[in-house]
Structures are given as structure tokens and as C-alpha cells.
Amino acid sequence: MLALMRGLSRLLPQAFPVALALSFAVAPVGTASAQAPVGSASEDQKAQASAAYKIGKTAFDEGRLDDALTAFESSYSIVASPNALLMVATTQAAMGRKAEAYETFERVSKEANAAAQDDPKYTRTAETAWSKREELASQVGKLRIEGLATAAEPTDTLVVDGREIPRDRWTQPILVTAGQVEVVLGGRSQRQVEVPGGGEATLSFAATTPGEEDEGGGSSGPPFDRMLGVYVAGGVGAAGLLSFGIFGGLALSKFNSLDEDCPGRVCPVARQGDADSGQTFQTVANVSLVIGLVGVAAAGGLLTWELLDPAPEGDAVTARLSVGPGSIGLAGSF
């Protein structure tokens, strides 16, 4: 029993600050109704805030960043100390939440400068926060979102990079961590956009016109350039005819060399390999001839179409040119 009491006497001094800090209701940073200004906090409030701060520092040092952030926010919600808010920003940065950290560091700098009017020790806090903010400048960017006024329903939420953005900020540039950013409107419309570090990107949720997107949500593609089709089909045709000439010549050469050794087109075993090669050359030549003729015909058709019926400026002609073994196809719509 004596040993048990001694053990409890050692544990209680360590457990008391933890229980004290965890007993506070943790509210979002700066929104707790009981928050006291750093210059007018009571001794009891300072003790509670200090206990939560120490818990946060221990968790941060041990790499338990979620616990650290909760504790630092709890400390700040009791006493609005710029030092506690500085650790909130530092933890956000360590968690990869660069945009939130950038904004919080900026806020720390302003609050610390104001607090330094009464207590000069906060001057260093302000300088540190501003320096940390500048370090993150190249790792964040701004995202402008257009078309929300018409695309959003009255009850829609906007989530950018995992953060819900208040509706009154939808028309303002949103600070995000640089890189690929996910934007979700109302839980139904999801977009991806690349935001450069230190730069700005724009994403539009403007409503699409009928036919602008296909049933799968993809774009129908750029208008088909008929003259480009002429060049492509003509090139394919020329390549086919050239291949026909080459492989046809090889096949003919093999045939002539085998003509005397293969009476009745039956070759001895020693010449069977040459006979097989000749047959392969002939097959490739035949396929190449078909591709060449179809390609030339397609090029001629497209050229005639362009000359006799040029598309008015601004009209889009949607077409697809497909090339396969032994065939060329052209399909499209106006």
C-alpha cells in the first residue's frame, strides 16, 4: 500500500496539467468566448493556458502534430498569446498545411506587433512570424474561382484543398498550397487545378453550353482542320506506296531467285526459309498498296471538299481520321 501511494504521488503532478488542459472545451482559434487578451488575463487563465501550451510543446517534440495543434489552439482560446498562435502556425506548417500556416503567421505578426506596444518581448515573436511567412511565400499560391454565382445552389459548400471556404470569401483569391489543388462545389462538382508557387491560377465553374461536353464529361476536342487531314492522309498514302515498292521489289527478287529451284512452286527444304520470306514480303507489299491507295484517295477527297466547300470562318467541323492495318477512315459531323 505504501508503495502504491508513493507511485501515485509521483504521477499526480504530471497528470494534473494534462487533465486540466483536456478539461477545457477546445474551440476554433480565436473564437472561444472565454478568451482573454494577453495583457489582461487573470493568473488562473494564464496557468490554464500555460498548461495547455506545455502539453502542445511535448506533443510537437514527439511528432504528435494533431495533438500538438489541439493543445496550442486550446491555449490560445484561453489567453490570446501571440506565442501560442505562433506555435499553431508552426504546427500547421509541419503538417503540410502551408496555406493555413502562411495566413496564421501573418496574423501572428500583426497581433504580436500590437502586443509589443505594452510588452517589448513580443517584438521578437512578430519578427519570427514574419520570417516564417516569407519562407512559405514560394510554397503557396492564389486561386481565383469564377462562375460560382451561377453554378452554386443556395445550400452549396465550397471546399478548396480540404478547407471549407466561407461563402463571403468566394469572390476573393483563396490562398492554397502550391501544386495540384482539388476544388469541390456542393459535393457534386469536382475540379483539379495546378496552382504555381508564388503565383495565381483561375478556375471557372461557368455553366457549359449544350454540346460543349460529351456524355462522359470530356471535351469534344478542337475543330478538325481539313488541310491538316489532307497532309496526314497524303503522307500515309505516300508511305504506303513507298512500302509497296520496297517490299514488292524484295518479293520479286526472292521469286526470281527461287524460280529455278522450286519447280511447281515446291521448294526443297534448304530453300524453304527464302520461300517463307518471299511470301511475307509479298503480303506486306499487298497491304501497303491498299493503305497507299486509300490514303491518296482520302487526301484527294479532303482536298476536293476544301476547294469546293470551304467552311465559313468560325464554323467548327468535328471529324476523326483513323488509320489501321489496311484501312483509313474519316468520320465526323458538322
Side-chain angles (χ1 to χ4, degrees), residues 242-254 281-282 284-286:
L242 179 61
S243 295
F244 167 73
I246 294 174
F247 286 99
L250 292 173
L252 181 59
S253 176
K254 288 290 185 182
F281 292 152
Q282 185 61 55
V284 174
N286 293 340

Side-chain angles (χ1 to χ4, degrees), residues 151-217:
E153 300 293 336
T155 59
D156 278 348
T157 58
L158 178 66
V159 178
V160 179
D161 203 17
R163 287 194 297 164
E164 184 173 337
I165 307 301
R167 189 173 282 261
D168 60 2
R169 292 183 56 194
W170 286 11
T171 58
Q172 304 171 14
I174 301 169
L175 198 69
V176 296
T177 301
Q180 196 74 13
V181 176
E182 181 182 72
V183 180
V184 182
L185 176 63
R188 66 183 185 280
S189 188
Q190 180 174 324
R191 307 285 178 87
Q192 298 281 342
V193 60
E194 185 74 22
V195 179
E200 184 174 304
T202 301
L203 177 66
S204 177
F205 272 90
T208 57
T209 57
E212 185 177 343
E213 293 187 352
D214 57 28
E215 294 181 355

